[in-house]
Amino acid sequence: MPISLYNSLTRRTEPFAPLDPARVTMYLCGPTVYNYVHIGNARGPVVFDVLARLLRRHYPQVVYARNITDVEDKINAAAQAEGVPITTITERYARAYHEDMAGLGIAPPDVEPYATAHIGAIVAMNETLIAKGHAYAAEGHVLFDVASYPEYGALSGRDTEELIAGARVEIAPYKKNPTDFVLWKPSTPELAGWDSPWGRGRPGWHIECSAMCAAQLGETIDIHAGGNDLLFPHHENEIAQSTCAHGGKTFARWWMHNGMLTFDGRKMSKSLGNVLLVHELLKLHPPEALRLRLLSGHYRQPLDWSDGAIQQSVSTLDGWYRVLRDLADVAIDAAQLPVPSAVKAALCDDLNTPQALAELALLADAARQHGTPAAKADLLGGGALLGLLQQDPETWFKRVGGTTVNAAQVEALLDERRAARGARDFARADAIRDELTAMGVVIEDGAQGTRWSIAKA
Ligand SMILES: [Zn+2]
């Protein structure tokens, strides 16, 4: 089944064919680690995690790189505000980022380059660009000379005159042209910096990605991904730097961009007070419901986030996990899950996750009706491709907010209640039921004994 992917560069959906089918390369712009990330920042990592899962089914080797930007002005500001070295900030928030991503069921990338580990490569790329006449040094800065690259603007469809007229670029005395952008800038003694031919300084953000991409994946990569807020200028600048440094070679063959999140129909902003941190959401909601919500819209479209939408995702997962719980005794080979063709076909069609989820719902219906090992395996196999339904159904039902309740404590109370009922001490049995209710636990007495789950908020 061929994979088709929309390419932001050609503005068409095209059959995906890697340069080297033995080694598919993909790069996603990662976080700048100076605070906790918000849920909008998690959409790209979740979406491209699904793409990586799909590619791994088609190709023997996929090298997926997601970087960490660990030197940047916002990091400097955070470090100065706390009076600590930048590594205190970057280590703290890189760790938090890893925890958040793991919480959302995102597999770690194959490589995770750090910008500060690539300073030599960044300096070398600057020197190459200067030598080839695409960059110049001025007042401790190195700037990319946009006029030297006539194709500039091809990705975003902007021309440079429009940019100047729209004042989208910073005017500075050391620039030859207002559209020229910074590759290297001087650091004052209290700021993080490295020695370079242009004095002590630090890299601009754009060149970090170009240098890390080349160092980790090669000069031409198959897929470069990111949020559509990065399309201009970040990705436009990456293309200019990499193409010019590498003698005109294509930098990324596919450019993929995910849409932004809105919150109850509004843009997320600090002033509106609707900034939702992944870190906080993971404590309030089952993480898998957050992942499901992020996959519920097509990745290129905007996606609205609301409490109602999360509750709907929780209900959907309740239904699917109920099927799996009812089929707990149906034995399957969990190590050899099938890849249901309808789910795969939806993902092969430009990562159509809403369609894939609709197919997964049909597989859940089939498993509910037929209860066969094949139907159960299909449901789990379809879920695996999306990174869903991989936990024990009992664990899914035993949680409060994002956290699983203390199952041992609940079981002990249920044992005590059973004993009380056996001794016809109904007052005690009712008291235990009340205690469980207060803990948010709902119990159902049935022919096969007592089952418990967590009450809906
Ligand atoms: Zn980047």
Side-chain angles (χ1 to χ4, degrees), residues 3-214:
I3 299 174
S4 292
L5 298 173
Y6 183 84
N7 188 345
S8 308
L9 191 60
T10 59
R11 299 176 182 78
R12 279 198 308 262
T13 304
E14 299 167 335
F16 176 69
L19 196 60
D20 175 6
R23 185 176 179 270
V24 179
T25 49
M26 175 160 93
Y27 185 93
L28 174 66
C29 293
T32 299
V33 282
Y34 70 102
N35 62 9
Y36 291 111
V37 294
H38 63 72
I39 188 69
N41 301 127
R43 189 179 192 192
V46 166
V47 161
F48 297 109
D49 175 61
V50 172
L51 179 58
R53 286 168 196 255
L54 182 69
L55 291 169
R56 291 186 207 285
R57 304 272 177 172
H58 282 73
Y59 300 100
Q61 193 194 3
V62 175
V63 188
Y64 173 26
R66 188 186 68 205
N67 74 289
I68 295 274
T69 293
D70 60 345
V71 52
E72 219 261 346
D73 290 353
K74 293 191 199 94
I75 298 171
N76 293 335
Q80 281 182 330
E82 284 191 31
V84 294
I86 63 167
T87 48
T88 305
I89 300 291
T90 56
E91 283 168 14
R92 181 198 304 159
Y93 292 110
R95 197 180 317 118
Y97 186 74
H98 291 147
E99 286 169 9
D100 287 349
M101 296 301 107
L104 292 170
I106 297 164
D110 301 287
V111 280
E112 188 176 56
Y114 280 62
T116 55
H118 290 75
I119 298 293
I122 291 168
V123 167
M125 192 176 255
N126 273 314
E127 290 180 306
T128 303
L129 287 169
I130 292 172
K132 292 188 174 188
H134 291 293
Y136 56 94
E139 298 178 30
H141 293 71
V142 178
L143 292 128
F144 188 89
D145 184 354
V146 170
S148 77
Y149 180 56
E151 292 81 4
Y152 188 83
L155 177 68
S156 57
R158 293 169 201 242
D159 66 43
T160 44
E161 304 212 340
E162 213 180 295
L163 293 173
I164 297 166
R168 286 291 304 266
V169 289
E170 191 194 346
I171 314 278
Y174 45 80
K175 285 185 178 182
K176 277 206 258 179
N177 286 298
T179 45
D180 294 351
F181 56 89
V182 170
L183 304 177
W184 187 266
K185 53 189 157 189
S187 288
T188 49
E190 74 280 7
L191 289 179
W194 291 262
D195 290 330
S196 80
W198 318 285
R200 187 173 170 280
R202 60 195 194 281
W205 172 41
H206 313 301
I207 197 144
E208 295 177 1
C209 281
S210 280
M212 286 187 275
C213 238

Side-chain angles (χ1 to χ4, degrees), residues 392-437:
D392 180 345
E394 295 301 334
T395 309
W396 167 261
F397 285 107
K398 289 164 189 176
R399 55 166 212 278
V400 170
T403 322
T404 301
V405 300
N406 183 341
Q409 189 190 353
V410 174
E411 297 292 349
L413 284 166
L414 285 177
D415 282 346
E416 200 186 329
R417 176 170 170 268
R418 211 170 291 122
R421 292 172 84 185
R424 305 192 69 78
D425 181 356
F426 297 114
R428 178 64 193 141
D430 287 348
I432 293 169
R433 178 186 272 269
D434 291 346
E435 195 176 330
L436 287 163
T437 304

